Amino acid sequence: MSIIVQKYGGTSVATTERIQAVADRIVRTREAGHDVVVVVSAMGDTTDELLRMAHEIADRPEPRELDMLLTAGERIAMSLLAIAVCARGCRAASYTGSQAGIITDTHHGAAKIIEIRPKRIIESLETGNVVIVAGFQGLSTSYDITTLGRGGSDTTAVALAAALDAEVCEIYTDVDGVFTADPRVVPEARKLDRITYEEMLELAAAGAKVLQSRSVEYARRHDVRVHVRSSFHDGPGTWVVKEEEMEVGMEAPLISGVALDVTEAKITFDEVPDRPGIAAKLFRAVADQGVNVDMIVQNVSHEGRTDMSFTVPRDDVVKIKAALDDIAHEVGAVRFSVDEDIAKVSLVGAGMKSHPGVAADMFEAIAAEGINIEMISTSPIRVSCVVRAADGERAARAIHRKFGLQG
Ligand code: ASP
Ligand code: MG
């Protein structure tokens, strides 16, 4: 029998009514003759609530205990859902990540899945159960409970789909699929029927919140077919596919979408000495705090000194402030500043590899709005610009219009 993996996000199981609607859908899928493995997130804002409580008690809660705490959210959702499915006369059993054989490394709060031992799940399916697995968690190689990072249930679902060789991994959410832009920012945004893994990865990294980046990487590596769709109706959503599949019978679209990210901060070091080893020192100091750097811009030097700017997640600024003070002193930078008032707007499309002028069109759209670009970075299929935070939404709408993405 073919296996379908279905993942339901926090909003899809936010209340007992929603949980029952999800149970109805699961039973329908089962009745259509599929084996069903379900992955659930915690109900609504449970994870945020649990985090808030921990931080009320301590500034830096022990990572091990935080993981133990957060995984409780998914446990509540999975057992309630199993109860709901059973109440419909359909057999179901729920399992924690650990019980489901999800083995991770020991990195609390952002553990990586290193192996899946699906024996127990397969046996449970064979006895006729719908299998319900708690998302976002696993058991580390040193037998502690770990979590996979925020939004990690997507990765649980994709990893299980790969391990079980499932026909499809369906990601149910509160939107209809992947859009050309966030409809709250760009009202004329349009749902995409398909998008490539690469584009989805770039969009996720550029701030689109539909799928956790790591889940897309996992899906690409293991060839998992992913269908992002609404939990509120049966209409088709967006398929995440290989580039080859994109071109079957149609020309790949030039641009897939525009993303806006308002979660980063810009850090600028003024007048650092321009000599070998300075960038290495600076970014090593940031990396040692476990912080990811996104964009980096170094200016042309004048009189042996140069300015250097980079962006990091705004929430991580506090973590690196002390290290930045030290490093500014050590490398002899004149000063450094933190600017939290920025937005990053990105344009993503596999077609830009073979189309000159995409960046120029994007910059023209921004210029026509009288908006200044402060930083630029690119990949083969993405162009990103940093602008003032207050200009971000207007820039996103202008770019969306310029490329005719409303369809
Ligand atoms: N509940 C976790 C979170 O809120 C995992 C998830 O939703 O995927 O990040
Ligand atoms: Mg969640």
Side-chain angles (χ1 to χ4, degrees):
M1 214 180 335
S2 73
I3 299 178
I4 290 186
V5 173
Q6 299 187 329
K7 180 256 170 176
Y8 293 93
T11 44
S12 306
V13 293
T15 62
T16 47
E17 287 76 39
R18 297 256 179 100
I19 286 179
Q20 297 186 73
V22 166
D24 287 335
R25 182 186 288 272
I26 292 169
V27 171
R28 283 205 305 278
T29 313
R30 183 84 189 102
E31 282 167 355
H34 301 283
D35 273 340
V36 188
V37 174
V38 178
V39 174
V40 271
S41 292
M43 295 170 70
D45 296 331
T46 305
T47 310
D48 290 329
E49 265 305 292
L50 295 172
L51 268 175
R52 192 188 52 74
M53 283 195 276
H55 284 107
E56 235 169 61
I57 298 171
D59 286 340
R60 285 180 171 236
E62 283 66 27
R64 179 187 183 279
E65 302 311 323
L66 210 48
D67 273 357
M68 197 58 109
L69 175 70
L70 296 187
T71 53
E74 270 68 13
R75 261 189 185 219
I76 295 171
M78 73 173 190
S79 43
L80 285 175
L81 183 57
I83 290 168
V85 174
C86 291
R88 282 157 177 72
C90 181
R91 300 187 45 182
S94 65
Y95 300 90
T96 63
S98 157
Q99 288 176 312
I102 297 169
I103 313 298
T104 74
D105 64 16
T106 57
H107 192 168
H108 284 291
K112 281 210 171 70
I113 295 176
I114 51 184
E115 195 194 336
I116 297 210
R117 300 177 188 155
K119 188 163 168 278
R120 182 125 190 233
I121 297 182
I122 292 168
E123 282 169 5
S124 185
L125 286 173
E126 281 168 0
T127 67
N129 283 331
V130 166
V131 168
I132 301 175
V133 179
F136 161 70
Q137 55 180 275
L139 180 71
S140 79
T141 46
S142 52
Y143 304 99
D144 278 315
I145 299 297
T146 49
T147 62
L148 311 180
R150 297 307 305 267
S153 302
D154 293 340
T155 302
T156 304
V158 170
L160 283 175
L164 297 167
D165 201 16
E167 189 180 307
V168 56
C169 179
E170 297 181 328
I171 307 279
Y172 286 93
T173 175
D174 54 345
V175 292
D176 286 353
V178 182
F179 280 69
T180 51
D182 182 340
R184 282 166 303 191
V185 175
V186 184
E188 64 271 27
R190 177 175 48 86
K191 191 193 77 185
L192 297 161
D193 295 333
R194 296 171 182 218
I195 187 167
T196 68
Y197 293 119
E198 289 74 18
E199 289 170 318
M200 197 60 238
L201 268 176
E202 291 282 5
L203 279 178
K209 296 262 158 22
V210 225
L211 286 174
Q212 196 203 29
S213 302
R214 199 182 277 173
S215 72
V216 187
E217 266 163 32
Y218 207 105
R220 173 170 64 166
R221 217 169 334 114
H222 296 268
D223 264 339
V224 176
R225 295 165 62 75
V226 176
H227 186 189
V228 182
R229 55 191 301 196
S230 168
S231 60
F232 299 123
H233 58 75
D234 284 338
T238 304
W239 287 86
V240 188
V241 299
K242 286 196 249 189
E243 203 170 331
E244 298 91 273
E245 263 186 82
M246 212 58 199
E247 279 154 8
V248 181
M250 58 175 144
E251 211 194 320
L254 176 60
I255 300 298
S256 288
V258 177
L260 180 65
D261 187 349
V262 293
T263 66
E264 295 193 342
K266 178 170 82 167
I267 294 171
T268 302
F269 278 75
D270 286 342
E271 297 183 45
V272 288
D274 191 10
R275 58 162 196 269
I278 299 290
K281 272 215 181 85
L282 211 171
F283 291 103
R284 172 59 61 204
V286 175
D288 283 347
Q289 307 301 312
V291 170
N292 281 318
V293 172
D294 181 21
M295 289 187 175
I296 300 176
V297 170
Q298 181 183 326
N299 281 343
V300 178
S301 70
H302 291 289
E303 287 149 20
R305 286 186 174 261
T306 180
D307 299 339
M308 207 179 278
S309 294
F310 56 94
T311 63
V312 294
R314 196 176 300 158
D315 288 346
D316 286 343
V317 170
V318 281
K319 260 200 252 171
I320 53 172
K321 263 251 174 84
L324 292 179
D325 269 327
D326 291 349
I327 204 77
H329 197 219
E330 193 186 328
V331 302
V334 170
R335 72 185 79 78
F336 85 88
S337 55
V338 178
D339 182 352
E340 304 204 332
D341 224 15
I342 60 161
K344 179 178 73 173
V345 51
S346 305
L347 181 66
V348 171
M352 74 175 74
K353 280 183 289 197
S354 51
H355 269 80
V358 168
D361 284 344
M362 177 179 179
F363 301 155
E364 276 167 20
I366 297 174
E369 294 290 317
I371 295 171
N372 187 42
I373 299 173
E374 303 180 16
M375 294 170 96
I376 298 170
S377 80
T378 62
S379 87
I381 63 168
R382 175 186 49 81
V383 183
S384 300
C385 298
V386 166
V387 299
R388 284 293 89 203
D391 294 331
E393 299 199 350
R394 200 154 44 91
R397 285 192 285 269
I399 296 163
H400 198 271
R401 225 179 300 124
K402 177 90 176 179
F403 286 90
L405 295 177
Q406 69 283 2

